[in-house]
Amino acid sequence: MMRAPRVDVERQGHTEDKQIGDPHILAQTDTDTTDDSAHSSLQHDIPPTPVLLQGRLARWNDKIEGLAGLEARGITRVTSDEKHAAGIRQYLQMVALWFSMNLTSANIITGLLGRLLFSLGWIDAVCIAIFATGLAACSVSYVSTFGPASGNRTMILGRYFMGYWPSKLACILNIILQIGWGIIGCIIAGQMFSAINGKGLTIAVGCVIAALLIGCIATFGIAYVHLVERYAWIPQLLAILVLVGKSAPHYNTSATFIGEPGTLTASRCSFFALIFASVIGFSAVSADFYVYYPTTTPARLTFSLTWTGIWVGAMFCNIVGIAIATGVESNPTWESAYSISSGALLLECYSGLGGFGSFCLVILALTSVTNNAPCTYAGALTIQVLGRYAKAVPRWVWCVIITLVELICSVAGRNHLYNIFENFLPIMSYWVVPWVTIVVEEHLIFHKLRGVPFDWSAWEDKRRLPIGGAALVAWLVGWAGAIIGMSQVWYTGPVAMKVGGHGGDIGAWLAIAFAGSVFPPLRYWELKVVGR
């Protein structure tokens, strides 16, 4: 496990030896930066002095951050000399982290929708789960490789691809995305806790329990996130294997598509988009968890281990959900339970095991915590990227605020889980997809091919970061492609209407095509005119 130091260079609001705005800190470079001439103008390019906590607030913050293990560092870049050594155990932690985060009840419930919402057959739904999770995992894994190399958080990296100011738009959407996932996780856990305890525990109380657990882990920071994820997958996997063993006799693997032939393609596209969206959102946070890994960490190793953890965990749970869905139609007891909630359905799948079945469902409920604690942690860091005033507020305070928002919204929306699943997930992927497209093209075309390395020390210097005009235009054009290709309950784009009988969601693919076509010529022109 990569352990984060409680206090190194930065405390929120002040530093031990040097202020964050100190030019000596800004001038620190590693072997991954550009030539030294880039630093000759640092005296004129120093960012504004950060807002500092003072007086009683500073003293209270010091006391809270003095709690054992609480991570005090915010978004300040982790330099090479602050990173920790890594061996086989630490690299295997990459697999464990993502496997645990994706071996969750949320992915099981997402799989349920392949049959119960889109009426897909067993083979169709399973193939979609395999390929959609694998493709989305590529995006998450690609972005994660920048964590060890740069020492910067994911949304800080966004400044190198979209510019200092335009990247704030992506930050706002990422905050919404991570909070949205937290809300979904709390509702799922609440349903399961309520199903176990009957009338003794309402869904609302279950949401509160889940939110508090998520917030506690996120507040203490990266070391606790890695610690929990290192071991959590073991009971999670055992609980899911018991679920499969108990419910397998009711599966109908010969199930075929239900509906008109013309709608099959549309259903396939929409379910693919749903599975894809449930994974690709991690692209906006994946580098956050690797900033303490050595700069020398091979990018291919980071990519491969991250991809393996995501793909195996998400795909397996999706397929379990698909299998359970095939049994709902032929099992009146399951169908009745499903009409109550997804938690009641999963409890019914454990029927006959007595208290042990309830215990397994508790473990499944807690998978919402392992899935969303890292997202809440990353969401707090994303808020700090919005500006120096947001950065002045300690990271743990933002974690507490996000937890309260997730708690309140999950209680308010506890009866609308499937509407949130159906409408929220695909929409959130519409901004991530063109963002990742810009990241890949900027990295490969304008840095790799041109032989121009990134200057990671410029993470907070507006005058050394890209303007971002080309990226902003391409990103908005990508959004336009997503809109005409989206298929939602409340709106179906004109291009999406051409897919099948009722329209299929192809918004993500049009977003990639539109943004990917527009960005290279615009970026070339921007470099020629502006020079950065």
Side-chain angles (χ1 to χ4, degrees):
M1 179 180 67
M2 305 304 296
R3 298 184 58 193
R6 189 181 67 82
V7 177
D8 287 331
V9 175
E10 175 199 9
R11 276 184 179 271
Q12 300 298 331
H14 68 278
T15 57
E16 295 281 323
D17 300 313
K18 300 178 181 179
Q19 295 299 321
I20 295 171
D22 191 316
H24 296 293
I25 293 179
L26 292 173
Q28 287 180 351
T29 60
D30 303 317
T31 57
D32 54 336
T33 60
T34 55
D35 57 35
D36 292 335
S37 63
H39 307 290
S40 61
S41 61
L42 272 177
Q43 296 180 5
H44 306 287
D45 295 340
I46 299 173
T49 302
V51 180
L52 305 177
L53 293 179
Q54 298 178 355
R56 183 176 297 178
L57 286 176
R59 291 194 295 272
W60 272 104
N61 181 56
D62 287 344
K63 290 180 180 179
I64 293 174
E65 288 182 348
L67 295 173
L70 193 147
E71 182 187 8
R73 178 184 288 273
I75 58 172
T76 295
R77 177 179 176 240
V78 180
T79 56
S80 291
D81 59 320
E82 296 177 284
K83 293 175 178 286
H84 305 299
I88 295 177
R89 187 168 68 108
Q90 285 72 29
Y91 288 125
L92 289 178
Q93 172 68 16
M94 291 181 172
V95 180
L97 171 71
W98 292 103
F99 183 61
S100 179
M101 286 173 63
N102 286 277
L103 197 71
T104 65
S105 53
N107 284 326
I108 293 176
I109 293 173
T110 303
L112 289 174
L113 302 181
R115 181 67 178 175
L116 301 180
L117 179 63
F118 298 107
S119 302
L120 291 171
W122 165 258
I123 295 177
D124 282 334
V126 169
C127 288
I128 288 172
I130 291 172
F131 291 105
T133 53
L135 182 60
C138 289
S139 171
V140 183
S141 303
Y142 190 91
V143 176
S144 73
T145 62
F146 292 102
S150 69
N152 285 317
R153 309 290 181 166
T154 311
M155 287 292 104
I156 289 291
L157 292 170
R159 294 175 175 178
Y160 288 86
F161 304 108
M162 289 193 66
Y164 185 88
W165 293 108
S167 65
K168 293 181 186 295
L169 294 174
C171 289
I172 293 172
L173 290 172
N174 188 41
I175 294 166
I176 296 172
L177 174 62
Q178 304 313 324
I179 291 177
W181 265 116
I183 294 170
I184 290 174
C186 290
I187 295 175
I188 291 174
Q191 289 184 350
M192 292 184 182
F193 285 135
S194 179
I196 295 168
N197 289 272
K199 296 182 180 179
L201 181 67
T202 65
I203 295 177
V205 175
C207 290
V208 172
I209 294 173
L212 293 178
L213 291 174
I214 290 170
C216 182
I217 297 172
T219 299
F220 273 86
I222 191 66
Y224 281 81
V225 169
H226 276 290
L227 178 63
V228 170
E229 305 294 350
R230 173 187 285 184
Y231 301 107
W233 65 270
I234 300 174
Q236 291 173 195
L237 180 60
L238 292 176
I240 295 174
L241 290 177
V242 172
L243 174 67
V244 173
K246 185 66 180 65
S247 60
H250 300 282
Y251 298 166
N252 178 18
T253 55
S254 61
T256 57
F257 176 71
I258 302 174
E260 300 176 2
T263 62
L264 176 57
T265 300
S267 295
R268 286 171 173 170
C269 289
S270 295
F271 186 52
F272 195 105
L274 185 66
I275 296 287
F276 184 77
S278 69
V279 174
I280 198 171
F282 288 123
S283 300
V285 301
S286 58
D288 290 44
F289 311 114
Y290 294 160
V291 293
Y292 287 101
Y293 277 80
T295 305
T296 55
T297 301
R300 292 183 180 179
L301 180 65
T302 302
F303 182 98
S304 300
L305 296 178
T306 301
W307 186 88
T308 300
I310 296 171
W311 183 65
V312 174
M315 174 196 61
F316 176 61
C317 288
N318 287 157
I319 293 176
V320 171
I322 294 167
I324 291 174
T326 63
V328 171
E329 299 167 342
S330 59
N331 191 324
T333 306
W334 283 15
E335 187 174 8
S336 176
Y338 179 68
S339 66
I340 299 173
S341 71
S342 57
L345 171 60
L346 293 178
L347 179 62
E348 188 61 36
C349 290
Y350 283 116
S351 64
L353 296 180
F356 180 67
S358 298
F359 174 73
C360 288
L361 191 63
V362 169
I363 295 175
L364 282 187
L366 293 177
T367 62
S368 294
V369 177
T370 59
N371 182 245
N372 291 287
C375 297
T376 298
Y377 167 80
L381 292 169
T382 300
I383 295 177
Q384 289 190 320
V385 181
L386 289 175
R388 64 194 188 104
Y389 289 98
K391 180 183 174 183
V393 178
R395 180 198 60 80
W396 66 267
V397 173
W398 288 124
C399 283
V400 172
I401 292 174
I402 289 177
T403 300
L404 290 175
V405 173
E406 292 173 348
L407 188 157
I408 295 170
C409 292
S410 62
V411 171
R414 62 189 182 276
N415 297 320
H416 305 284
L417 175 63
Y418 287 104
N419 290 333
I420 297 173
F421 254 107
E422 186 179 358
N423 298 321
F424 172 77
L425 289 180
I427 291 174
M428 283 295 98
S429 73
Y430 296 151
W431 79 263
V432 177
V433 167
W435 183 83
V436 172
T437 302
I438 292 168
V439 169
V440 173
E441 291 189 334
E442 173 71 18
H443 178 220
L444 296 182
I445 299 175
F446 298 100
H447 285 271
K448 280 284 188 180
L449 291 180
R450 295 173 65 230
V452 179
F454 288 98
D455 182 1
W456 299 123
S457 68
W459 65 278
E460 206 172 25
D461 192 339
K462 304 180 190 70
R463 298 187 183 182
R464 293 160 59 199
L465 291 167
I467 296 296
L472 178 60
V473 172
W475 191 56
L476 294 176
V477 170
W479 263 100
I483 291 172
I484 65 175
M486 68 189 296
S487 177
Q488 302 298 323
V489 174
W490 45 271
Y491 175 77
T492 300
V495 177
M497 285 292 293
K498 304 295 183 181
V499 181
H502 302 285
D505 195 331
I506 56 173
W509 320 120
L510 290 183
I512 292 173
F514 280 38
S517 300
V518 169
F519 180 69
L522 288 179
R523 181 60 173 146
Y524 175 80
W525 177 82
E526 184 178 59
L527 285 172
K528 187 175 181 180
V529 174
V530 182
R532 60 185 173 92

